[in-house]
Amino acid sequence: MNILAPVITVDGPSGVGKGTLCQWLAIRLGWHLLDSGALYRLTALAALRRSLPLEDADQVAMVAANLEAEFTANADGCLRITLDGTEVGTDLRTEHCGNAASRVAALPAVRTALLQRQRNFRRAPGLIADGRDMGTVVFPEAELKLFLTASAEERAQRRHKQLSQQGLDANLKNLAGEIAERDTRDSQRAIAPLRPAADAEILDTTHLKIAEVCDWALALTVHRLGLPEPC
Ligand code: DC
């Protein structure tokens, strides 16, 4: 095992349920949580608020490097995220912001600006890292790498349900189109494209309940990290 705190990476496309699994695992193990997508979303949001063109790599990378963002976990594991001292709330979770995040995430200078910041989340007793390139680029030496997939239709349904529960506007047909657009950009970009690491454990969750996905992840964690069997 690394002398650094152990890391479990969870990668996969939009709407696959990584966030729910990661929050559950972090609470179950009492570990820290990195929501790397939130860093790309915050960068996009900050750039939009400053009316910067999202394709201006130098200016957007500067925003990423100087991001005044804070993450605090509530007792229930929910993250409270502030940007420039103000809580961002649901603005961060809209599909508009997700799409803008996917655009800035394709810029190499932005990814470089956020790399060390992501690695700084690694603290004892351990880290659950949620994203697209956690197992391939940010934590290639992670103890356990998970990669979730699900059909595009199922992911659109899940995202629709999640946004509706948060009181956000969501049209299933538009969502499916936006998710497909984001999938293509995230998996075909030149730098750190979405793909499983060679040593990742891959699970198709299309027909699984979240509890089954959590059981699968916990069993692998216990086995790989030599933790006591869960009761
Ligand atoms: O996980 P999310 O939907 O919050 O991520 C928003 C976008 O950020 C996603 O479409 C691609 C980008 N992203 C990335 O490129 N690398 C990561 N590790 C996490 C997110």
Side-chain angles (χ1 to χ4, degrees):
M1 185 177 296
N2 279 304
I3 46 164
L4 290 166
V7 182
I8 298 174
T9 59
V10 183
D11 290 303
S14 309
V16 79
K18 302 183 302 286
T20 312
L21 169 64
C22 288
Q23 252 182 38
W24 182 87
L25 262 183
I27 294 174
R28 186 74 174 71
L29 300 173
W31 285 15
H32 301 281
L33 175 64
L34 164 62
D35 174 359
S36 63
L39 288 172
Y40 289 96
R41 285 173 183 259
L42 284 163
T43 301
L45 197 63
L48 289 170
R49 285 182 179 172
R50 290 165 175 73
S51 303
L52 297 177
L54 294 183
E55 59 286 351
D56 185 331
D58 289 346
Q59 291 210 66
V60 181
M62 191 83 84
V63 167
N66 296 300
L67 212 51
E68 289 285 336
E70 290 214 2
F71 295 74
T72 349
N74 295 335
D76 59 2
C78 286
L79 283 180
R80 181 178 174 271
I81 304 177
T82 60
L83 177 60
D84 299 324
T86 311
E87 190 161 358
V88 279
T90 51
D91 277 4
L92 205 64
R93 299 298 165 194
T94 62
E95 276 308 293
H96 176 64
C97 186
N99 240 301
S102 165
R103 286 172 58 193
V104 301
L107 302 170
V110 169
R111 302 200 77 84
T112 304
L114 292 177
L115 188 59
Q116 191 54 45
R117 188 172 191 139
Q118 294 173 82
R119 290 185 174 150
N120 291 346
F121 276 76
R122 182 176 200 168
R123 290 193 304 272
L127 178 70
I128 309 294
D130 167 346
R132 304 291 189 290
D133 60 341
M134 297 295 100
T136 49
V137 175
V138 182
F139 300 109
E141 70 295 5
E143 276 70 11
L144 176 62
K145 301 177 186 179
L146 307 178
F147 192 93
L148 304 185
T149 65
S151 72
E153 298 74 36
E154 176 61 24
R155 290 187 287 118
Q157 297 271 10
R158 288 180 191 171
R159 182 50 64 90
H160 183 254
K161 192 169 157 202
Q162 190 185 40
L163 291 175
S164 307
Q165 281 168 349
Q166 292 174 354
L168 289 168
D169 223 10
N171 167 298
L172 190 57
K173 197 158 157 260
N174 293 348
L175 258 184
E178 282 166 0
I179 285 185
E181 188 190 324
R182 217 141 53 96
D183 280 356
T184 308
R185 195 184 301 110
D186 294 345
S187 51
Q188 293 186 2
R189 65 184 173 218
I191 181 166
L194 167 69
R195 60 173 175 78
D199 52 350
E201 305 283 346
I202 303 175
L203 183 69
D204 181 349
T205 68
T206 308
H207 303 292
L208 297 181
K209 296 191 176 63
I210 182 64
E212 295 173 302
V213 180
C214 291
D215 285 348
W216 169 81
L218 186 61
L220 281 169
T221 302
V222 164
H223 176 72
R224 189 68 63 84
L225 294 162
L227 301 178
E229 288 294 326
C231 28

